[in-house]
Amino acid sequence: MSKIKCIEMYHVRIPLDTPFYPSWIPGYPSIDNRFDLVRIITDSGVEGFSAGPAIASERKGLGYLIAPYLIDVDATDMKLIQQRLREVSYLGVRANWMEPAFWDIKGKLENKPVYELLGGKAEPVELYASTGEVKSPEARVEEVRQRYEEGFKSVKIRVHDFEIENDIRQVEAVAKAMGDKMKIGVDANQAWRVTIVSDAPLWDLDRAKKFADACADLGVAWLEEPLPMDAYEDQIALSAYSRVPISGGEIHTNGLPELKMMIERKCYNIFQPDAIMTGGIAQTMEVARLCREHHLIYTPHTWTNGIGFAVNLQMMLAGGFNGVKPLEYPLNPPSWIVEKRDGLLQEKFHHDHGMLHPPKKPGLGFEIDFKELKKYGKRFFRMGRIGLKIYAVRDKGLKTALEIDRNRKKYGVNANKK
Ligand SMILES: [Mg+2]
């Protein structure tokens, strides 16, 4: 047993050299790689980390919600941890993005990478260069050519135009220029359409079918998220109709129950849950298993930040699908580059001619650069055992806080894992 003795949370902003214009949020450039980092400290001295992408200060109160559920719990009891994270989410903010931190601890305690704990083995991973911005056909061809020269054999481009003809024109230009050299995927980013600043195109089944036809004629390798995330009937119809494999499933925050239904109904041909956003490592492993059972492909989404990439890299090696479809490698120079994406990591995940050597370090395979964390991170929460007692008295009053403490001791914080 390795009990949780302290929880820390940091808001991290790693400034980009130049603004990044994500295709998925039109008109709303990012000026930094922004996320919240959780640091779980155990009695044994072993620490685990995970990170969730952030927009503003939306997790400011999360620590106060989560600490009473987790302090003193066995950090390696994955079933109990998952139960607690589920309980937290009922009335508060979702916290499944923290779950990988506990696998990090488990791996470090057993001196094994997480993928080994889960039955995977160390082997090179093929990557595809995942672009992030919408570009003109000419600029896109040039960008894809650069990725090819760097050694990538696959690339994913983004389309987000109101006119289908303009989207097709871009795919056509890239396919004609580079289609004989590279596999080309296309992401429509329709699953979680965002219109916070500017309007964004909204596809229906008819447009998705037309675009899928064009992609098939141009030899596209896969088409990602051409429909809203909960348009299940249309997804089923499209996946059955399309000559190009349809992929999706990166941000289904309900996790396994929803993805299980989608797998059984064959909403997509390729499932790409992100272990940071779709219920954590344990649930995503089950998604991979179900994909195998239903003869569908699993490959993780990775575009959040360097820690999210590291988590999903472990999933690729654990899920048994390495080599089936390349792993997403977010790269959009000059803004979204490896140094910024992996800014907090001591060793960055640099590719080697489109391949990645598997991390051998125990846990999630990275170490935090605390100097960088100090520079770019702001700690907004820290609570240990004494802090929890003080907080309970302030929050509930002495009499009730003592009563809760007695109940906790009587029941045992490591009980209830049904
Ligand atoms: Mg995508």
Side-chain angles (χ1 to χ4, degrees):
M1 192 180 287
S2 189
K3 286 183 181 177
I4 299 164
K5 76 167 186 184
C6 185
I7 298 170
E8 291 183 359
M9 292 177 73
Y10 298 79
H11 189 60
V12 181
R13 292 178 176 207
I14 301 167
L16 306 176
D17 290 337
T18 175
F20 168 58
Y21 293 83
S23 70
W24 49 91
I25 312 182
Y28 194 62
S30 308
I31 57 161
D32 46 32
N33 173 10
R34 192 177 297 187
F35 56 92
D36 293 324
L37 177 81
V38 65
R39 179 185 188 186
I40 307 287
I41 304 167
T42 64
D43 270 345
S44 58
V46 170
E47 300 181 357
F49 297 88
S50 190
I55 295 172
S57 310
E58 61 267 34
R59 299 196 183 93
K60 225 172 172 181
L62 180 59
Y64 296 96
L65 171 68
I66 204 160
Y69 285 81
L70 290 176
I71 298 277
D72 270 335
V73 163
D74 178 4
T76 63
D77 187 337
M78 304 316 285
K79 209 171 165 186
L80 183 58
I81 295 291
Q82 279 157 40
Q83 168 69 12
R84 291 283 186 264
L85 292 177
R86 188 175 154 86
E87 288 168 0
V88 163
S89 76
Y90 292 152
L91 296 176
V93 183
R94 288 181 198 280
N96 277 333
W97 61 274
M98 292 182 172
E99 187 251 23
F102 300 93
W103 288 96
D104 196 23
I105 290 167
K106 197 171 167 68
K108 284 169 179 167
L109 284 167
E110 295 185 31
N111 201 27
K112 283 181 184 168
V114 169
Y115 61 79
E116 254 180 50
L117 291 182
L118 296 168
K121 58 177 189 290
E123 46 190 9
V125 176
E126 192 191 335
L127 306 165
Y128 75 79
S130 184
T131 68
E133 294 176 337
V134 171
K135 292 198 172 161
S136 69
E138 299 74 31
R140 182 71 84 201
V141 168
E142 189 43 40
E143 181 187 28
V144 172
R145 203 187 302 280
Q146 278 174 27
R147 298 292 87 78
Y148 174 72
E149 280 163 14
E150 289 161 10
F152 287 98
K153 294 188 182 74
S154 308
V155 68
K156 183 173 81 189
I157 61 174
R158 310 268 172 177
V159 293
H160 223 59
D161 202 283
F162 285 94
E163 303 301 326
I164 185 171
E165 291 76 21
N166 290 338
D167 284 345
I168 293 174
R169 210 165 290 138
Q170 191 201 150
V171 180
E172 198 174 31
V174 176
K176 279 191 178 150
M178 304 302 292
D180 58 338
K181 300 184 183 77
M182 295 178 91
K183 267 190 200 163
I184 300 160
V186 182
D187 196 340
N189 284 114
Q190 283 293 308
W192 46 284
R193 179 171 167 266
V194 181
T195 58
I196 185 171
V197 178
S198 300
D199 195 8
L202 174 63
W203 291 23
D204 58 11
L205 181 59
D206 186 48
R207 175 163 175 172
K209 278 184 171 177
K210 274 188 199 144
F211 190 73
D213 281 342
C215 285
D217 295 340
L218 292 166
V220 164
W222 77 93
L223 171 57
E224 198 164 308
E225 301 204 320
L227 290 165
M229 66 162 78
D230 49 3
Y232 308 123
E233 302 304 326
D234 286 351
Q235 290 164 4
I236 294 162
L238 182 68
S239 296
Y241 168 86
S242 175
R243 288 172 282 145
V244 172
I246 305 296
S247 69
E250 59 198 47
I251 308 189
H252 285 272
T253 48
N254 291 324
L256 182 60
E258 187 182 10
L259 286 161
K260 182 173 186 285
M261 177 278 290
M262 293 178 77
I263 289 168
E264 285 167 354
R265 299 192 69 194
K266 292 199 167 35
C267 287
Y268 295 123
N269 309 108
I270 300 169
F271 279 81
Q272 47 176 66
D274 187 312
I276 291 291
M277 288 179 284
T278 55
I281 285 177
Q283 291 194 29
T284 309
M285 271 303 282
E286 181 60 10
V287 170
R289 191 194 67 74
L290 285 167
C291 282
R292 243 190 327 273
E293 198 177 293
H294 290 263
H295 309 291
L296 298 168
I297 294 173
Y298 157 79
T299 184
H301 169 266
T302 73
W303 195 311
T304 51
N305 52 68
I307 292 171
F309 178 80
V311 168
N312 285 293
L313 169 62
Q314 297 281 329
M315 296 307 300
M316 184 61 146
L317 289 163
F321 283 83
N322 186 26
V324 176
K325 181 177 177 284
L327 180 70
E328 178 176 37
Y329 189 75
L331 192 61
N332 194 103
S335 53
W336 201 264
I337 53 175
V338 177
E339 287 72 16
K340 304 291 179 182
R341 185 195 69 193
D342 301 351
L344 279 198
L345 310 185
Q346 278 186 23
E347 282 171 46
K348 322 282 188 239
F349 289 103
H350 287 285
H351 75 96
D352 180 2
H353 294 87
M355 300 291 292
L356 203 63
H357 303 294
K360 303 268 176 65
K361 287 191 175 83
L364 293 174
F366 62 83
E367 276 168 63
I368 295 292
D369 184 330
F370 284 97
K371 259 197 222 152
E372 296 282 289
L373 179 59
K374 207 172 169 191
K375 200 165 159 192
Y376 300 120
K378 192 169 178 239
R379 196 173 76 194
F380 64 90
F381 179 80
R382 178 183 163 89
M383 193 179 277
R385 287 169 179 135
I386 293 169
L388 177 58
K389 283 186 197 302
I390 295 168
Y391 170 71
V393 172
R394 280 193 186 143
D395 191 49
K396 296 277 187 189
L398 181 62
K399 194 168 167 252
T400 309
L402 288 172
E403 186 186 337
I404 292 171
D405 197 47
R406 274 197 306 277
N407 291 342
R408 227 170 164 243
K409 280 179 185 144
K410 195 173 151 195
Y411 180 56
V413 290
N414 284 294
N416 185 19
K417 38 185 128 168
K418 287 178 194 86

